[in-house]
Amino acid sequence: MEYCIPFNRPNIQGTELEFITDVIRGGHICGDGDYTKKCELLLEKHFSAKQVLLTPSCTAALEIAALLCDIKEGDEVILPSYTFVSTANAFALRGAQLRFVDIRSDTMNLDENLIEEAINENTKAIVPVHYAGLACEMDFIAEIARKHGIYLIEDAAQGVNAKYKNSYLGTLSDIGAYSFHETKNFVCGEGGALIINSSEFKERAEIIREKGTNRSKFLRGQVDKYTWVDLGSSYLLSEIQAAFLYAQLMNMEKITAQRKAIFDQYYDELQPLVTKGELRLPYIPEECITNYHMFYILLADHQIRSALIKHLKGKGIQAEFHYVPLHNSPMAKRMGYSCGTLPVTEDVSKRLLRLPFYNGLSEVDIRAVIKEVFAFFQ
Ligand SMILES: *Cc1c(COP(=O)(O)O)cnc(C)c1O
């Protein structure tokens, strides 16, 4: 069935084609050209980041992070189970043991009070995920990482242009990772960025991204021929996608304002259902400035969620839930993780529902969604 109000629609700003035409005319469509540089500079400036490198995805950026931290068999990595698979895969690919830690029931972010008890002498990194563009308790988590001498890597896939206190997400750790996938706030189809905040990684990040060669040095005229010097892979974003992305990044504040309006309308107009005890709305801690990545509601139980999805579907409205907790996934079982309990993760994953949310979702359509949510509870 064709949905009348889909869950997501890729956001188009208008100058994407013009910039792509410019790339084609220029004759170079591979990575690291003018538009890649423009995007990287814009992100570095806007976010006060030391170094930003565009990548083919956030998944790829996390893989580079795992290589940079020399994650290997026997190492342990602390991460939430309530996240997208890439947070885990990047480290599992290097042979790491995953230590899934439960989340907070108010923000769905890694519970900072449970991290320290998961640390042992094999722990190499903590990977907080900023869920829905809301920051984890980064001061507290950074202090734990510092105290134990372990790496801190932010999965800021959903957190581009969001803040914790006075800093942008992705810049609060050793390494950050952004996503520009079609479902995120700023898009180019598939795409991402690696944020290097620690100068020890600067040179090696360029090498890993260039298939393990010192080609970046060669292009700057620092060596006369490039060669294989380290592990690496093909981790550049094509110029065609970088041109698309630049059209989006130029409008970052406008896009964020549009998303805020949608978020606020849902938030305000759903209040009566909160008062009646039917659902819970997102909570935004004082120290967080969100980028309005998504709008979710928390329902009383799994049955009500399934029934609401069905009701909305019948009215042509597509609502989605996530995540199937990673610690209970078939892969985690095959890797031998005993499916211990993470009570908050298991509870939230059964009750959380995401409503349609994309730039360009009209006031009329938002009202139609809200009307049907109210109708369901009548
Ligand atoms: C979307 C997402 C990713 C993956 O991003 P890609 O750019 O599609 O690789 C990773 N982690 C989280 C938390 C995400 O939401």
Side-chain angles (χ1 to χ4, degrees), residues 139-160:
D139 279 352
F140 192 92
I141 298 173
E143 178 52 27
I144 295 174
R146 195 201 54 78
K147 188 169 128 196
H148 292 272
I150 53 188
Y151 292 116
L152 185 56
I153 301 166
E154 291 167 88
D155 181 340
Q158 303 177 12
V160 185

Side-chain angles (χ1 to χ4, degrees), residues 183-222:
T183 52
K184 301 301 200 291
N185 291 31
F186 318 106
V187 305
C188 65
E190 304 275 353
L194 182 74
I195 320 304
I196 302 286
N197 303 311
S198 172
S199 34
E200 71 171 290
F201 295 127
K202 213 170 156 159
E203 188 174 339
R204 218 176 142 220
E206 283 185 349
I207 290 169
I208 291 170
R209 193 164 154 270
E210 271 286 17
K211 301 96 187 163
T213 74
N214 55 354
R215 188 162 182 270
S216 302
K217 268 191 164 168
F218 168 72
L219 293 174
R220 287 194 295 263
Q222 293 164 329

Side-chain angles (χ1 to χ4, degrees), residues 57-59 83-84 86-87 129 155 157-158 179 181 184 191 323:
S57 62
C58 177
T59 303
T83 182
F84 189 65
S86 298
T87 322
V129 175
D155 181 340
Q158 303 177 12
S179 175
H181 183 264
K184 301 301 200 291
Y323 297 98

Side-chain angles (χ1 to χ4, degrees), residues 75-344:
D75 290 342
E76 290 196 12
V77 173
I78 291 171
L79 73 166
S81 167
Y82 191 70
T83 182
F84 189 65
V85 289
S86 298
T87 322
N89 257 327
F91 301 94
L93 276 167
R94 306 252 63 80
Q97 188 76 12
L98 308 174
R99 281 293 293 259
F100 296 113
V101 165
D102 213 353
I103 51 171
R104 291 166 45 150
S105 58
D106 56 354
T107 56
M108 322 308 166
N109 276 332
L110 202 54
D111 187 336
E112 64 276 10
N113 291 311
L114 299 176
I115 294 174
E116 205 149 21
E117 64 200 51
I119 292 177
N120 61 40
E121 73 271 16
N122 295 322
T123 309
K124 207 62 185 288
I126 307 171
V127 190
V129 175
H130 302 301
Y131 182 71
L134 273 189
C136 296
E137 203 39 77
M138 289 307 284
D139 279 352
F140 192 92
I141 298 173
E143 178 52 27
I144 295 174
R146 195 201 54 78
K147 188 169 128 196
H148 292 272
I150 53 188
Y151 292 116
L152 185 56
I153 301 166
E154 291 167 88
D155 181 340
Q158 303 177 12
V160 185
N161 203 33
K163 274 179 156 179
Y164 172 76
K165 298 184 177 169
N166 284 320
S167 305
Y168 284 98
L169 306 194
T171 68
L172 296 151
S173 56
D174 297 301
I175 307 171
Y178 290 157
S179 175
F180 305 119
H181 183 264
E182 148 182 324
T183 52
K184 301 301 200 291
N185 291 31
F186 318 106
V187 305
C188 65
E190 304 275 353
L194 182 74
I195 320 304
I196 302 286
N197 303 311
S198 172
S199 34
E200 71 171 290
F201 295 127
K202 213 170 156 159
E203 188 174 339
R204 218 176 142 220
E206 283 185 349
I207 290 169
I208 291 170
R209 193 164 154 270
E210 271 286 17
K211 301 96 187 163
T213 74
N214 55 354
R215 188 162 182 270
S216 302
K217 268 191 164 168
F218 168 72
L219 293 174
R220 287 194 295 263
Q222 293 164 329
V223 289
D224 47 10
K225 186 63 203 157
Y226 69 88
T227 182
W228 188 17
V229 295
D230 202 338
L231 284 180
S233 191
S234 182
Y235 286 134
L236 302 194
L237 186 73
S238 121
E239 272 292 286
I240 299 171
Q241 284 168 289
F244 194 113
L245 182 62
Y246 191 60
Q248 301 258 317
L249 296 181
M250 283 172 70
N251 293 303
M252 216 153 35
E253 295 310 327
K254 186 182 112 199
I255 293 169
T256 304
Q258 285 170 341
R259 298 182 80 96
K260 178 183 187 332
I262 298 166
F263 187 99
D264 289 349
Q265 191 180 344
Y266 272 135
Y267 195 91
D268 294 343
E269 294 183 19
L270 286 169
Q271 281 303 329
L273 291 176
V274 177
T275 313
K276 284 173 79 183
E278 305 285 14
L279 49 84
R280 222 201 76 193
L281 297 178
Y283 159 71
I284 303 179
E286 213 176 292
E287 61 275 16
C288 297
I289 296 179
T290 180
N291 61 358
Y292 308 96
H293 173 59
M294 68 168 88
F295 195 89
Y296 66 78
I297 56 179
L298 265 178
L299 299 153
D301 61 40
H302 188 244
Q303 285 76 14
I304 292 176
R305 181 176 74 179
S306 302
L308 177 55
I309 291 173
K310 196 164 162 233
H311 172 82
L312 293 173
K313 194 174 174 190
K315 304 290 177 184
I317 297 165
Q318 185 187 14
E320 298 270 352
F321 65 86
H322 70 179
Y323 297 98
V324 177
L326 294 180
H327 73 288
N328 283 333
S329 67
M331 182 60 181
K333 281 178 192 157
R334 210 164 350 121
M335 290 169 83
Y337 292 107
S338 62
C339 296
T341 50
L342 297 177
V344 182

